[in-house]
Amino acid sequence: MPRERACTPLPNRKKPASALSLPLFDGIPAGLGDTIEARDAPESIRFIPSTLGISNPSRAYAIRVRGESMLNAGILSGDVVVLEHKEPKVGDIVAALVDGENTLKRLVRQGNRYFLKAENPDYPDIVPIEALSVQGVVVSVLRNMAEAA
């Protein structure tokens, strides 16, 4: 005769967080700077904001990386970086507009001057001649392992 099993009710769980749809843009150079025309995002991706480190979902977006300059920071060509428009800190990896060209690099400060540093010794630092404007701070990196192999 089979033994009776007791069922323990599951604890009350919080309502699941709702997913957020982030715009996914075609690409940002992680190599030498490149001009990218402003346009609508061709795709979007859905996530739960807290799982990606997003503090303000209305200020977040995602972009696919092109290039190898951030290799030693663990960011590969084809990865998707999730960025948030917020105040950058020295050492953050940022999407930036430098003298009219977009790039993804580490923000560095030397004295009173800011510049961008590649995380691959094959690529030069990018020192602005006229202007450096941070467009977003990287909060997460997403990789499709099937494509990475």
Side-chain angles (χ1 to χ4, degrees):
M1 180 155 110
R3 279 179 36 175
E4 240 180 78
R5 296 181 187 240
C7 290
T8 306
L10 294 174
N12 288 339
R13 296 186 184 221
K14 293 181 182 177
K15 180 180 174 184
S18 58
L20 166 72
S21 184
L22 294 178
L24 174 60
F25 294 92
D26 268 347
I28 187 166
L32 301 177
D34 192 7
T35 57
I36 298 176
E37 293 182 28
R39 59 188 176 272
D40 290 333
E43 299 178 69
S44 65
I45 49 179
R46 292 184 59 79
F47 294 100
I48 298 172
S50 62
T51 64
L52 299 178
I54 298 170
S55 60
N56 186 343
S58 68
R59 299 181 55 84
Y61 65 101
I63 194 162
R64 195 172 314 281
V65 176
R66 292 180 289 137
E68 303 292 329
S69 74
M70 297 307 290
L71 187 66
N72 293 337
I75 301 174
L76 308 178
S77 191
D79 286 352
V80 172
V81 290
V82 177
L83 300 106
E84 191 170 341
H85 294 285
K86 62 182 181 179
E87 189 67 32
K89 297 185 298 268
V90 170
D92 283 345
I93 297 174
V94 299
L97 184 63
V98 183
D99 299 329
E101 295 184 340
N102 291 286
T103 191
L104 184 76
K105 300 283 183 287
R106 189 170 302 279
L107 182 64
V108 177
R109 182 177 172 184
Q110 190 171 45
N112 290 333
R113 191 167 173 118
Y114 289 90
F115 67 96
L116 299 174
K117 180 172 182 49
E119 292 290 339
N120 180 337
D122 294 339
Y123 292 85
D125 294 338
I126 298 177
V127 179
I129 295 169
E130 293 180 18
L132 184 152
S133 174
V134 173
Q135 307 295 307
V137 176
V138 173
V139 295
S140 291
V141 178
L142 308 170
R143 178 172 303 133
N144 179 334
M145 294 307 291
E147 292 177 11

